[in-house]
Amino acid sequence: QSALTQPASVSGSPGQAITISCTGSSSDVGSYNYVSWYQQHPGKAPKLMIYEVSNRPSGVSNRFSGSKSGNTASLTISGLQAEDEADYYCSSYTSSNSYVFGTGTKVTVL
Amino acid sequence: QVSLLQSGAEVKKPGASVKVSCEAFGYTFTVSYIHWVRQAPGQGLEWMGWINPNFGGTNYGQKFQGRVTMTTDTSMNTAYMELSSLRSDDTAVYYCARAGGRSWFDPWGQGTLVTVSS
């Protein structure tokens, strides 16, 4: 199972909105609404930010939103803040009854 | 508050085995699968497999089949991941995570660094 494809880096100024894409295939992202997103600060464990494409767990800022179209899922961070600088990973359930992560995106706040 | 606490860092020689533990707090241990995910230095996340603490059923990623064994001790609310025939490219931080619904991982343990070196 190949990793889902994400841009290596995305940057934006404070207050701006950025979008991170996550491209898979009809065997994973395209077939299931089981896409989740994780934020990881250096040296820390990943933290769930979005589940089942567009649902936000309790406690996660509403500046984070998710969507999906075909084989590509997206995470949008609006009103970018310094604390949002981190690595972000998508994940999807697959038709092989397994899970696959994205390649990861480093978000930089300029 | 739901949390997972993992065992400490390990240093192993090539060919050896390592067993990492993951103790669960704040919920009924048997109601949620436990997943294991690893992250090599400077690299991305890699799913290894899951275990159902209720019945002990497992599902291992193809890459790890034959080398990984996931178990639980429900009396201690603890999950274990054992990886054998270690190689240098198994050097990574190993995480456990509670399964949410069908598709997400939350929360995660703090991670266990396993270093494989001669």
Side-chain angles (χ1 to χ4, degrees):
Chain A
Q1 182 76 44
S2 299
L4 307 174
T5 301
Q6 298 180 230
S9 62
V10 173
S11 62
S13 299
Q16 284 187 329
I18 62 169
T19 297
I20 302 168
S21 61
C22 168
T23 301
S25 70
S26 58
S27 297
D28 38 65
V29 175
S31 288
Y32 307 96
N33 287 326
Y34 292 146
V35 175
S36 52
W37 289 90
Y38 302 87
Q39 176 191 65
Q40 186 179 35
H41 287 108
K44 301 295 187 182
K47 174 188 175 184
L48 176 69
M49 305 302 284
I50 295 287
Y51 66 95
E52 290 180 345
V53 175
S54 59
N55 295 292
R56 237 183 357 263
S58 173
V60 172
S61 171
N62 59 9
R63 297 184 298 103
F64 292 84
S65 61
S67 62
K68 191 186 84 166
S69 177
N71 295 339
T72 299
S74 298
L75 174 72
T76 297
I77 309 174
S78 58
L80 198 62
Q81 299 180 0
E83 68 206 51
D84 301 331
E85 187 161 294
D87 293 328
Y88 291 83
Y89 294 91
C90 60
S91 175
S92 176
Y93 177 73
T94 84
S95 60
S96 302
N97 192 26
S98 65
Y99 295 81
V100 62
F101 285 95
T103 50
T105 298
K106 180 177 180 60
V107 169
T108 301
V109 181
L110 302 171
Chain B
Q1 181 180 355
V2 176
S3 64
L4 300 172
L5 182 63
Q6 298 183 222
S7 49
E10 304 261 14
V11 179
K12 296 292 182 181
K13 293 192 181 303
S17 297
V18 68
K19 191 170 186 177
V20 179
S21 69
C22 169
E23 186 176 3
F25 297 89
Y27 72 99
T28 302
F29 182 61
T30 51
V31 303
S32 301
Y33 290 16
I34 293 288
H35 291 262
W36 289 89
V37 176
R38 75 178 186 180
Q39 185 172 37
Q43 302 301 307
L45 302 171
E46 182 175 33
W47 180 78
M48 298 180 69
W50 56 249
I51 182 166
N52 178 353
N54 198 21
F55 300 110
T58 56
N59 179 23
Y60 301 145
Q62 190 172 10
K63 178 177 178 177
F64 301 99
Q65 286 181 5
R67 276 210 308 146
V68 71
T69 304
M70 297 177 187
T71 57
T72 58
D73 182 339
T74 55
S75 69
M76 297 183 63
N77 291 342
T78 300
Y80 302 91
M81 186 284 299
E82 184 170 20
L83 189 62
S84 62
S85 301
L86 290 169
R87 308 183 289 255
S88 59
D89 61 358
D90 291 317
T91 294
V93 176
Y94 289 77
Y95 293 101
C96 61
R98 178 192 179 193
R102 183 79 182 275
S103 67
W104 66 92
F105 315 112
D106 180 58
W108 296 57
Q110 84 276 20
T112 297
L113 175 61
V114 175
T115 302
V116 182
S117 174
S118 55

